[in-house]
Amino acid sequence: GLILRGNFTSAPPPNQFQPAGASSALAGPAALEWCERRLLARIHRLTLGSLRKQIEPVTAATFMRWLFRWQHVAPGAQLRDERGALQVLRQLQGFEIPASAWERQILSRRVGNYEPRLLDQLCLTGAVGWGRLSPHPAMLEESSGSQRRVVPTSVAPITFYIRDDAEWMALPSVHSAHAEAERELKGLSPGAREVAGFLQARGASFFADIVRGTGKLKSEVETGLWELVAAGLVTADGFDNLRALIDPKRRSGQGSGKTSRPRHSAGRWSLLYPLEAGDAGKALESVCLMLLERYGVVFRELLVRESILPRWRDLLITFRRMEDRGEIRGGRFISGFIGEQFALPVAVESLRAMKNLPPGGETITISAADPLNLAGIVVPGERVPAISGKHVSFRDGALVETPELQTLSIAGRS
């Protein structure tokens, strides 16, 4: 246990002196090296220290200007087509947003030529799934006579997940919450319980099969499915299944052609099963990568609006391990915040370039439900509730005081 073997240095040119403390058994790029344990630890500390000193922190406003481009909201930064929509969903997976706001206020801002068919194609081909992962408050309450009910609503928070990159769904907290909710079925109407029981017994089913199997009216099955979506117990093959429930005109059968038959949307309904709780370390690394993909730079205060994360202490240990492996950078990237910060190497270089770009008076308005609504969190100002009907504006990364914000500020003080 006194020495470690591995590849600690890059292969030196022939006859060049190697660093003290490391010796090579072979010449060439795959040379096997040995190093004394304490000396390697010291080299590692000095390396991390020098890397952190290379970074000069930027202001919160500069960070916000950069985030608008990192998340493809700024003019000229939007993506296009199905590949672009998949990249946006990969960046936002795990962040819960009201169901009715995803297309109109989130995806359409980030994908320049967004059309509903892009999301439908990604869902129906199995690349993307959707559902609510945070437990509904009614599912957590103790059984009592005045227990809350699960109300079907278009503002029920849901998120997307990329099936090839969803190890973060195996978090014990997410899995245990869903197992408890599925077992108890608290706060659900009798119709929703019957639909859930049918799906549990028969598996994924089309709408017509659920109607025939339960003997319920189509409107009752629709209401039951909507309840189960709001409770986080049900998902579907396609997003049009949920779109039909959200749109009151489609539910009432108004319109022509396909829009007059919302109940026959392509795709089956099924219970939402998070991944089985497995390797906690792998799940935590997946969460860290997901956050780094979303924000580029991660620190504790930035994660206030995240709804399904484990404790920061657990994430911090994982971030440090990833930094030790050289996969991410640690240091002080954003000024004005205490605690450790971590970033992707490409984000560090991009943020450094943004620092040298002078502000141009650019004003960007986003929905209050957008993940970039960091007013009162990253930039100074009043917190704006994450309501899809509200909006918040930023000029050069700084919060713009609008009459709407002034009204919220007065209401908060009163």
Side-chain angles (χ1 to χ4, degrees):
L2 297 179
I3 62 173
L4 299 174
R5 65 177 178 177
N7 299 109
F8 308 114
T9 63
S10 58
N15 302 325
Q16 180 173 325
F17 179 74
Q18 296 192 52
S23 62
S24 176
L26 300 171
L32 182 62
E33 300 171 332
W34 288 269
C35 189
E36 200 271 334
R37 179 185 292 273
R38 292 185 180 180
L39 180 57
L40 180 61
R42 182 185 176 193
I43 294 174
H44 197 67
R45 287 194 301 270
L46 292 174
T47 302
L48 292 180
S50 63
L51 288 174
R52 292 190 175 197
K53 289 179 181 178
Q54 294 174 6
I55 304 162
E56 187 176 352
V58 302
T59 64
T62 302
F63 179 54
M64 282 300 304
R65 288 170 53 210
W66 177 82
L67 265 181
F68 285 126
R69 285 156 179 78
W70 180 261
Q71 289 199 14
H72 313 289
V73 173
Q78 284 83 6
L79 302 175
R80 297 182 64 83
D81 302 327
E82 184 177 319
R83 184 183 296 273
L86 180 61
Q87 184 175 340
V88 169
L89 292 175
R90 186 183 303 277
Q91 195 171 53
L92 300 184
Q93 65 174 332
F95 192 94
E96 292 190 327
I97 298 173
S100 58
W102 265 106
E103 293 190 281
R104 293 184 294 106
Q105 301 172 5
I106 306 300
L107 294 177
S108 60
R109 290 296 307 272
R110 292 164 166 83
V111 182
N113 60 341
Y114 178 77
E115 296 180 4
R117 64 175 180 81
L118 299 178
L119 184 56
D120 294 335
Q121 182 70 12
L122 290 172
C123 290
L124 290 173
T125 55
V128 172
W130 60 267
R132 177 175 184 164
L133 297 181
S134 63
H136 192 285
M139 313 295 283
L140 300 177
E141 292 182 351
E142 297 294 334
S143 298
S144 61
S146 59
Q147 184 180 355
R148 292 178 59 178
R149 291 288 304 273
V150 176
V151 179
T153 171
S154 61
V155 297
I158 69 166
T159 187
F160 289 89
Y161 54 90
I162 309 301
R163 297 187 189 274
D164 291 338
D165 187 25
E167 288 84 359
W168 54 270
M169 292 181 66
L171 285 171
S173 57
V174 175
H175 188 270
S176 60
H178 271 263
E180 175 70 18
E182 184 182 346
R183 183 171 59 253
E184 298 294 338
L185 296 180
K186 299 175 183 177
L188 296 175
S189 66
R193 290 172 180 265
E194 191 167 344
V195 172
F198 177 85
L199 292 176
Q200 191 170 19
R202 298 288 298 274
S205 304
F206 290 102
F207 182 85
D209 295 330
I210 301 174
V211 172
R212 181 172 57 253
T214 58
K216 298 284 186 181
L217 297 176
K218 293 182 178 181
S219 58
E220 292 178 318
V221 173
E222 279 184 338
T223 302
L225 287 171
W226 205 355
E227 276 189 51
L228 294 172
V229 169
L233 297 176
V234 156
T235 184
D237 293 339
F239 193 76
D240 193 58
N241 301 68
L242 180 59
R243 198 182 290 127
L245 298 181
I246 293 175
D247 189 351
K249 292 184 178 180
R250 292 188 62 179
R251 292 194 70 202
S252 61
Q254 299 179 23
S256 60
K258 293 183 178 179
T259 60
S260 66
R261 300 186 302 277
R263 302 183 177 106
H264 297 280
S265 299
R268 301 169 299 171
W269 292 94
S270 61
L271 295 179
L272 176 62
Y273 290 108
L275 298 180
E276 291 291 337
D279 187 349
K282 183 179 294 185
L284 286 172
E285 283 197 14
S286 179
V287 172
C288 293
L289 290 173
M290 177 183 70
L291 295 174
L292 288 167
E293 183 76 19
R294 176 144 56 245
Y295 299 111
V297 180
V298 177
F299 49 94
R300 186 171 187 173
E301 290 86 344
L302 185 63
L303 307 180
V304 171
R305 293 187 57 205
E306 300 284 340
S307 59
I308 59 173
L309 295 186
R311 297 175 301 178
W312 171 251
R313 182 175 62 184
D314 298 331
L315 292 177
L316 185 60
I317 295 173
T318 307
F319 277 128
R320 289 173 179 170
R321 186 181 302 118
M322 296 171 68
E323 183 189 10
D324 290 341
R325 296 200 301 256
E327 298 172 357
I328 63 175
R329 300 282 297 273
R332 185 71 57 187
F333 307 101
I334 316 299
S335 60
F337 300 94
I338 61 174
E340 298 183 60
Q341 302 177 9
F342 302 90
L344 292 172
V346 64
V348 174
E349 300 301 324
S350 177
L351 191 59
R352 186 179 299 170
M354 175 60 68
K355 183 180 179 181
N356 300 325
L357 185 65
E362 182 180 69
T363 300
I364 296 178
T365 301
I366 59 174
S367 168
D370 197 290
L372 291 176
N373 174 17
L374 299 174
I377 301 173
V378 171
V379 295
E382 294 288 336
R383 291 277 299 273
V384 182
I387 303 173
S388 58
K390 302 290 184 180
H391 293 83
V392 58
S393 298
F394 297 87
R395 181 179 294 115
D396 289 333
L399 184 64
V400 177
E401 287 290 341
T402 61
E404 185 178 18
L405 285 181
Q406 294 175 357
T407 303
L408 289 173
S409 176
I410 295 173
R413 287 194 294 269
S414 62

